Amino acid sequence: MAKDHLRDLHLFAMESALPFGMGIVNNAKAGGLQKIMDILKSKDPFSEFQVDGETSAKKVRDKIDQIIPGLGHPVVSVEVTVENSYPDYESNDNNSLVSTLHRIDSQLDELRQYLSNDSESIENE
């Protein structure tokens, strides 16, 4: 359980806190304290700082990954489930597949016949 909390903290740090911090640094470089104060007075300063710092944060995460893979771009666990809810559909699907394969086979035969007739006409010329 502690491992999950640590992973969640790491994910938060890389995906939220790092872009936020980089956004503050970028705005401080661009406009100084006045620009930071203007953003803090805006409607959603957290999002603005994150957006402003995302490019720089990606560069930092990439460099961290070069040192220790997976540290900069943390792995996110997902749950995958497979549901087999249409057992009747499989038999219909199988019949459909067979009919499609027969149609393709007959069309290939027609194509072969056409190509062989066409090559014979070229040889006769």
Side-chain angles (χ1 to χ4, degrees), residues 94-107:
N94 192 22
N95 291 338
S96 174
L97 177 62
V98 170
S99 66
T100 302
L101 289 173
H102 284 302
R103 182 176 47 85
I104 292 171
D105 190 43
S106 66
Q107 289 175 343

Side-chain angles (χ1 to χ4, degrees), residues 110-125:
E110 288 177 21
L111 182 62
R112 283 187 199 104
Q113 187 178 18
Y114 175 77
L115 289 174
S116 67
N117 287 340
D118 195 39
S119 65
E120 287 174 5
S121 66
I122 292 173
E123 289 175 2
N124 291 336
E125 290 181 2

Side-chain angles (χ1 to χ4, degrees), residues 22-90:
M22 294 304 293
I24 291 174
V25 170
N26 290 343
N27 283 303
K29 285 181 182 177
L33 185 60
Q34 184 59 45
K35 187 165 185 179
I36 293 174
M37 294 305 293
D38 291 341
I39 293 175
L40 287 173
K41 293 176 187 175
S42 71
K43 187 176 181 180
D44 189 8
F46 185 77
S47 294
E48 284 189 43
F49 283 128
Q50 275 191 315
V51 169
D52 290 343
E54 185 57 42
T55 304
S56 299
K58 183 180 180 334
K59 290 177 185 175
V60 170
R61 287 190 299 260
D62 289 342
K63 288 185 185 220
I64 292 171
D65 266 348
Q66 288 175 355
I67 298 168
I68 301 173
L71 189 60
H73 294 281
V75 176
V76 179
S77 61
V78 296
E79 250 182 74
V80 177
T81 59
V82 177
E83 295 180 13
N84 293 328
S85 59
Y86 300 107
D88 297 342
Y89 184 72
E90 284 185 22

